[in-house]
Amino acid sequence: TQLLEQSPQFLSIQEGENLTVYCNSSSVFSSLQWYRQEPGEGPVLLVTVVTGGEVKKLKRLTFQFGDARKDSSLHITAAQPGDTGLYLCAGGGGSQGNLIFGKGTKLSVKP
Amino acid sequence: DVKVTQSSRYLVKRTGEKVFLECVQDMDHENMFWYRQDPGLGLRLIYFSYDVKMKEKGDIPEGYSVSREKKERFSLILESASTNQTSMYLCASSLYRDGSTDTQYFGPGTRLTVL
């Protein structure tokens, strides 16, 4: 069974701090997606990474896919209250072609 | 913009009732999914469908069934609701059959409480 472990589970920081969220597995994934879910809403895709070692930047967010395609990280620079939410990683290539989701990291950024 | 809508944001039902959760997408997507989301357990796949009248079991199908009579609509049915089915239910759709790189578009969720 393919599993994705996310850490930390909870993160509470002050505005302006930097943070990194991790997504790890013992399995190889064909791709890795990151979603953000705000309270009362469904998850929304932030980025998809498909190549081992790939780095993608989205404004203050930097996403990296591990060389072996077993792990990924999300780094946020100078966090803002608007970054508050649940961050989910999802691996592609599940046994039935569907996505495998991690349990999420709940981020709270205080002003 | 892709839009996925769910019939109710909040629903309260009694144990033993039959419950229908409806999901509609407006972008002609091939695939549709039903998840439940619980604190500490993340998103768990209940059922998904790659085409009209097709359905596949996900990780936790017990106690649920689904129906896809039209491409844009995917219904989740709780035949006899139980208290352990109290949860947030999320519907999603995606364009391609290969889910490895495909974006899933989610609805806002239905928070179901079974008393």
Side-chain angles (χ1 to χ4, degrees):
Chain A
T1 304
Q2 292 177 297
L3 290 173
L4 279 167
E5 301 282 345
Q6 285 190 244
S7 61
Q9 191 176 355
F10 300 98
L11 195 52
S12 180
I13 61 171
Q14 293 295 130
E15 182 175 1
E17 291 184 26
N18 301 332
L19 66 115
T20 302
V21 174
Y22 300 93
C23 177
N24 296 299
S25 176
S26 58
S27 304
V28 174
F29 286 93
S30 57
S31 66
L32 210 296
Q33 298 183 354
W34 285 92
Y35 290 79
R36 181 170 71 204
Q37 183 178 17
E38 298 185 16
E41 300 297 329
V44 175
L45 180 72
L46 295 173
V47 77
T48 301
V49 285
V50 297
T51 306
E54 183 176 2
V55 177
K56 279 192 174 178
K57 291 194 175 184
L58 189 67
K59 296 183 182 177
R60 294 176 293 100
L61 279 60
T62 302
F63 304 86
Q64 185 163 7
F65 201 13
D67 290 341
R69 289 185 289 125
K70 292 183 178 181
D71 56 86
S72 181
S73 63
L74 157 61
H75 181 80
I76 301 179
T77 304
Q80 297 177 1
D83 296 327
T84 292
L86 179 69
Y87 289 81
L88 295 159
C89 66
S95 59
Q96 295 169 298
N98 52 296
L99 290 174
I100 308 295
F101 280 88
K103 293 180 181 179
T105 293
K106 192 168 185 179
L107 172 65
S108 173
V109 182
K110 297 178 179 165
Chain B
D1 275 354
V2 175
K3 193 159 185 184
V4 178
T5 57
Q6 295 184 228
S7 50
S8 306
R9 295 297 295 262
Y10 300 93
L11 208 52
V12 180
K13 295 292 182 181
R14 297 222 172 261
T15 302
E17 281 192 79
K18 190 168 186 176
V19 182
F20 293 87
L21 302 182
E22 304 284 340
C23 176
V24 177
Q25 49 95 2
D26 67 356
M27 281 301 290
D28 203 35
H29 282 178
E30 299 290 329
N31 310 319
M32 296 189 76
F33 308 82
W34 274 107
Y35 296 88
R36 63 177 284 176
Q37 185 175 33
D38 301 286
L41 297 177
L43 281 168
R44 293 181 290 168
L45 183 63
I46 304 171
Y47 268 98
F48 58 104
S49 168
Y50 287 130
D51 201 352
V52 175
K53 296 192 187 295
M54 302 293 288
K55 60 184 179 183
E56 298 286 345
K57 291 181 180 179
D59 299 318
I60 51 164
E62 296 79 19
Y64 303 94
S65 62
V66 290
S67 172
R68 195 170 180 197
E69 296 296 318
K70 293 185 178 181
K71 191 174 186 180
E72 68 271 17
R73 189 179 297 268
F74 193 34
S75 302
L76 179 69
I77 303 153
L78 286 66
E79 295 290 341
S80 178
S82 63
T83 55
N84 63 12
Q85 291 179 310
T86 291
S87 186
M88 169 69 87
Y89 289 88
L90 289 163
C91 174
S93 71
S94 68
L95 182 58
Y96 302 113
R97 178 165 184 144
D98 174 13
S100 62
T101 57
D102 202 14
T103 302
Q104 289 196 12
Y105 295 88
F106 286 83
T110 295
R111 185 164 293 283
L112 172 67
T113 302
V114 182
L115 301 175

